[in-house]
Amino acid sequence: MSAPDTMAEDFAHLGLDELRAATRKWATAERARFRSLAGETRDEAERLLLAQGAALDCAPLGLMSGAWLQWLSSMATADDQAALAALALYASDVGVGRPHDSRGAAFSQLLRVLKVGEHAQPAARLALDLRVADEAFELAALLLLMGRHPEEFHAEILGADLCLREAGLLPALELVDLSGAGIEVSDLNAGRPRIRSDAPGGLPAAEQALEARGNQSGPLSREAHGFRWAFTMLRTWSDGLLHRLAALLDPAHRAAEMLRARAREGSVYHRNYKLAGRSLADWLKEAVDAPLPLLDALATSPLIRPGKPERSPLINGLVGERGAMFRVFTPTDLEILANWIRSLPDTDKQGTSAAATDGEDLSMLGGAPVADAGTEKSGIPVAGSVKNRRQRDIRSVFPLSVDGDSTSAEHDVLPASLRDAYVRLQRRAQSPALSAYARTYVHGWLGRASHRLADVGVPLPEEWPAEGLRPWLANQHDRHAEEFESMAEAGLPSREQLIESTVQLAPLTMIDGGWLQGFTDYELASSDIGFSLFETYWDELGNGRAELNHPLIYRQLVESMGVELPPTGTIDFAHWTGFEDRSFELPVFWLSIGRFPKAFQPEILGLNLAMELSGVGGSYRRARLGLRAHGFSTRFVDIHNTIDNVATGHSAWAADAIDSYMAAIAPPSGTRARDELWTRVRTGYRALNPPSGWSARRAQRRAESASRPL
């Protein structure tokens, strides 16, 4: 099972097409190597052991498959075709429109089927699982880190992603019977479009994302750099995994690694028990780093009957209900030890019985039971420790020279104005100062929205209704229709008034969906509550299609009015003299709260409902009359009046998301905690149009001051 020849090849001179061909060739050969390893197994137990080990080592990539794409779209690029193509690819990976249907969720199901998934949710917890080798995290961790710098590494991310999709199903998963596990292969093979997904995915969509960016395929292109790096990392990891799995077939190796997992805790005990002339406590201290000497000493001790596990005191009397080592070893531990003892040459040597060890300090041999996330429970070898998980700066590891078209990090200073904040908050870049500004702004805006909330009418009920929000939603829709009918005869705005109001709404409407930007987060995007919010965001940006992209449709409307606006994500747009300063107040709130999808989730849910319901059945229809009267396209209001509908559209999804949140999160009815949670939802709803009087503005300033760190 030596490494294939490609491990030693130099790929520096290859362009993307040649790299893709080399990857396909490598993947085919690598799968054959893992199939060969499977052929060396002697029974079903060993085949399961290999499958478990392979799945665990693949888990850092599998549980987050595609997550490095989650920030490639932003409000600054909401109408950019390259960002839309990347978003379409990502939407397929997260299973847009369905909860718990991401590629990562499918991999989590595989781990559960193999009974090694206890540390897989949330995926970040996997870093505490010592059964997974440090090497298994390196590629996935660096990809995720690159994903946090999308402006800087957009091209490299797409190149690396293309490599993984070209490789297809991770070669080690050849050891897993996916059909027997009930797992759809297209969910785990990132190169294949997913069967249940309406969004384009897999290798074809990755190619489209590269094409939309206008990539250069030569060996010096940034995409080729990213592909080459990922290919190198993938080959190195897979080769190491093959050798780690081969070691699993050695019973002594498995037993030694199991002892290593128990040694640190066990070394506190057994000072009075001698093994081969040394204190067992000293043996165990040594076994933390080198367990094989302890294993050899045990093999010749009275505790072991070589070839006869059923007669060996170590795993019989001592671990029984009355034994000194009761519950020290798990059933899997005992199976590992039994297999090792069975593999030892049977010398028929007479040993002592379990009774002969009475009085010796063996009560904690191998370590006290520890209910820790890193505790070995499956027979897969322990691969490291949490403190040894390697931490590296991306630029010290990622061998790329980023050329001049990448965006440098923002200076860590507060925005100088609302317009400055509008520009910076559209992008995904993070800095402590920008985050602090956004958080303070949100607290202030919500302070204003909550001002006299209990004293004035807010459409949302004072308590979350037991029947959910759908009946209330239908009533609101009826009210909107009645208001439209009552105003049917009212005068329409003049052409100049219509153009002015349309232009002043541009900073808001050109970031349609900005309050939901945080729900592109991989795990939120496929959660019970967040999946419909991500689908709403996906719809606002046109499902990857320019002709359905809401910011683009609105820009076309403004252009038809004779107004040429700079690109939305630019300083020129924010400082365009045709905008009034007040036109940026609500957009900055949207962009700010969108950065905190967890901290302000109830407020976002309320805001989302208010936004999606605001025009349906009423103001959209009235706006349509005004646009038609002056000869402008009604496409923007028409698409919103249908897509936001209260039966199957965004308004319905928004109400359902709140109901799901309250049903899953809210404390029992009538409690203060439940009332406070619902108040936060209602505050978010009111935040779309908060009061603007002097006392409300004073409440805003107080909330801002209270939120600033001392």
Side-chain angles (χ1 to χ4, degrees):
M1 293 181 295
S2 60
D5 293 339
T6 54
M7 290 295 291
E9 290 182 10
D10 180 7
F11 296 101
H13 64 288
L14 300 182
L16 267 180
D17 291 342
E18 297 162 308
L19 284 167
R20 292 178 65 179
T23 300
R24 291 192 297 269
K25 179 181 177 182
W26 168 82
T28 299
E30 194 73 352
R31 290 190 184 94
R33 297 175 76 203
F34 281 99
R35 286 195 298 271
S36 176
L37 177 62
E40 297 178 16
T41 58
R42 292 165 291 190
D43 53 36
E44 189 62 35
E46 286 193 342
R47 285 189 285 276
L48 175 60
L49 198 64
L50 290 183
Q52 290 175 324
L56 279 170
D57 235 63
C58 291
L61 278 171
L63 289 174
M64 300 299 290
S65 182
W68 35 89
L69 304 173
Q70 61 191 341
W71 278 17
L72 290 188
S73 70
S74 69
M75 288 296 100
T77 58
D79 56 0
D80 176 74
Q81 190 54 50
L84 297 182
L87 180 61
L89 177 61
Y90 177 65
S92 174
D93 288 338
V94 298
V96 62
R98 297 179 302 278
H100 307 295
D101 199 30
S102 66
R103 291 189 187 275
F107 200 93
S108 181
Q109 171 64 15
L110 175 63
L111 294 177
R112 287 194 295 272
V113 169
L114 294 173
K115 299 183 179 179
V116 289
E118 62 270 25
H119 303 321
Q121 294 298 327
R125 190 180 175 209
L126 189 72
L128 304 178
D129 194 330
L130 302 185
R131 298 170 297 181
V132 186
D134 285 357
E135 292 80 2
F137 288 95
E138 195 159 10
L139 176 55
L142 287 173
L143 278 169
L144 292 171
L145 184 56
M146 289 162 62
R148 294 290 176 176
H149 301 271
E151 290 91 2
E152 191 171 359
F153 292 109
H154 190 123
E156 291 82 4
I157 292 168
L158 290 181
D161 180 78
L162 182 67
C163 173
L164 292 175
R165 296 183 195 274
E166 195 69 76
L169 189 71
L170 293 171
L173 295 181
E174 284 287 316
L175 297 169
V176 181
D177 179 9
L178 297 179
S179 60
I183 307 294
E184 171 54 54
V185 176
S186 70
D187 289 340
L188 300 184
N189 184 342
R192 292 190 189 178
R194 303 183 68 197
I195 291 176
R196 294 185 301 277
S197 178
D198 296 329
L203 193 56
E207 293 169 336
Q208 291 171 12
L210 279 171
E211 182 180 351
R213 197 176 186 277
N215 67 291
Q216 302 295 318
S217 60
L220 297 181
S221 74
R222 291 175 57 190
E223 292 85 355
H225 272 303
F227 193 114
R228 190 178 299 112
W229 166 78
F231 190 21
T232 300
M233 297 283 286
L234 186 63
R235 288 179 294 134
T236 301
W237 161 69
S238 186
D239 188 61
L241 173 56
L242 186 72
H243 288 86
R244 288 193 294 276
L245 292 177
L248 284 178
L249 299 182
D250 177 9
H253 172 84
R254 297 204 302 274
E257 290 300 323
M258 187 275 292
L259 288 178
R260 187 203 301 272
R262 303 286 178 266
R264 179 175 178 179
E265 291 83 2
S267 65
V268 176
Y269 307 92
H270 318 306
R271 296 186 183 279
N272 298 326
Y273 184 81
K274 300 297 182 181
L275 181 66
R278 293 177 60 193
S279 165
L280 181 54
D282 291 338
W283 282 108
L284 288 166
K285 288 180 182 178
E286 179 184 282
V288 172
D289 298 311
L292 284 175
L294 172 58
L295 196 69
D296 291 340
L298 284 172
T300 59
S301 76
L303 298 173
I304 300 298
R305 297 295 300 274
K308 297 182 174 63
E310 71 281 357
R311 296 181 60 189
S312 298
L314 179 61
I315 60 172
N316 283 301
L318 288 174
V319 299
E321 292 182 4
R322 297 182 180 276
M325 294 164 53
F326 180 55
R327 293 285 176 86
V328 170
F329 294 129
T330 68
T332 302
D333 293 340
L334 295 175
E335 182 181 351
I336 290 171
L337 288 172
N339 287 335
W340 166 64
I341 295 170
R342 197 174 290 113
S343 72
L344 296 173
D346 183 1
T347 60
D348 200 30
K349 166 182 162 185
Q350 295 299 315
T352 59
S353 66
T357 64
D358 287 349
E360 300 285 4
D361 181 17
L362 289 173
S363 60
M364 300 303 291
L365 180 62
V370 180
D372 184 87
T375 301
E376 171 72 41
K377 291 184 178 179
S378 74
I380 309 303
V382 173
S385 64
V386 174
K387 69 177 182 180
N388 289 329
R389 294 293 193 215
R390 287 174 286 185
Q391 300 178 9
R392 302 181 181 179
D393 181 85
I394 188 171
R395 292 169 186 82
S396 70
V397 181
F398 197 72
L400 305 178
S401 70
V402 180
D403 55 34
D405 69 342
S406 64
T407 304
S408 60
E410 297 274 3
H411 293 297
D412 192 20
V413 295
L414 293 171
S417 66
L418 272 179
R419 293 176 184 250
D420 184 27
Y422 181 78
V423 177
R424 290 175 59 183
L425 287 168
Q426 284 185 66
R427 300 189 176 276
R428 297 286 192 165
Q430 298 273 25
S431 75
L434 190 60
S435 293
Y437 176 94
R439 189 179 293 274
T440 297
Y441 194 91
V442 170
H443 278 293
W445 192 276
L446 293 176
R448 179 176 148 201
S450 64
H451 178 63
R452 298 188 61 194
L453 184 67
D455 301 331
V456 296
V458 174
L460 274 181
E462 292 186 6
E463 295 182 357
W464 177 52
E467 68 275 15
L469 286 172
R470 282 298 191 109
W472 172 87
L473 190 65
N475 292 335
Q476 292 301 304
H477 187 246
D478 292 344
R479 183 174 65 82
H480 287 185
E482 291 171 2
E483 290 173 352
F484 171 75
E485 296 296 338
S486 67
M487 297 178 64
E489 302 300 324
L492 297 174
S494 68
R495 183 182 180 89
E496 292 72 20
Q497 289 172 330
L498 178 64
I499 292 175
E500 174 64 12
S501 63
T502 302
V503 168
Q504 293 307 322
L505 279 174
L508 186 74
T509 313
M510 299 294 280
I511 59 163
D512 200 3
W515 66 95
L516 300 176
Q517 188 168 253
F519 283 87
T520 59
D521 175 90
Y522 193 72
E523 292 183 327
L524 287 177
S526 61
S527 68
D528 288 319
I529 297 167
F531 83 95
S532 63
L533 279 72
F534 174 74
E535 187 174 10
T536 299
Y537 175 86
W538 162 244
D539 279 352
E540 305 290 5
L541 271 60
N543 312 127
R545 298 166 55 190
E547 66 271 20
L548 294 177
N549 181 268
H550 296 183
L552 272 176
I553 294 172
Y554 198 81
R555 181 174 287 276
Q556 291 163 1
L557 174 61
V558 173
E559 288 174 352
S560 73
M561 295 176 171
V563 179
E564 294 288 335
L565 295 175
T568 311
T570 64
I571 294 175
D572 290 341
F573 182 93
H575 289 275
W576 188 65
T577 56
F579 294 137
E580 298 178 8
D581 287 345
R582 62 182 176 83
S583 296
F584 292 93
E585 291 183 351
L586 182 57
V588 168
F589 171 65
W590 279 9
L591 294 170
S592 294
I593 200 169
R595 291 194 164 226
F596 306 104
K598 294 182 179 179
F600 295 107
Q601 189 165 122
E603 289 86 357
I604 291 174
L605 289 170
L607 172 65
N608 183 54
L609 177 59
M611 188 59 222
E612 298 303 337
L613 180 61
S614 60
V616 178
S619 60
Y620 286 147
R621 296 165 71 189
R622 182 161 179 77
R624 188 176 195 276
L625 295 178
L627 290 168
R628 285 187 63 187
H630 297 295
F632 296 118
S633 169
T634 62
R635 173 68 168 152
F636 185 81
V637 292
D638 289 345
I639 197 172
H640 274 81
N641 199 50
T642 56
I643 203 172
D644 293 347
N645 77 83
V646 299
T648 61
H650 292 180
S651 295
W653 300 352
D656 291 347
I658 292 175
D659 287 340
S660 295
Y661 179 80
M662 294 298 294
I665 306 298
S669 178
T671 62
R672 179 178 178 182
R674 184 189 185 93
D675 293 342
E676 290 175 350
L677 200 61
W678 182 242
T679 297
R680 291 181 63 185
V681 174
R682 296 181 78 222
T683 299
Y685 187 96
R686 196 187 192 200
L688 180 63
N689 187 24
S692 57
W694 178 83
S695 59
R697 293 285 184 176
R698 185 178 63 176
Q700 179 176 354
R701 291 191 294 271
R702 284 200 303 265
E704 287 176 345
S705 297
S707 71
R708 293 189 182 101
L710 297 177

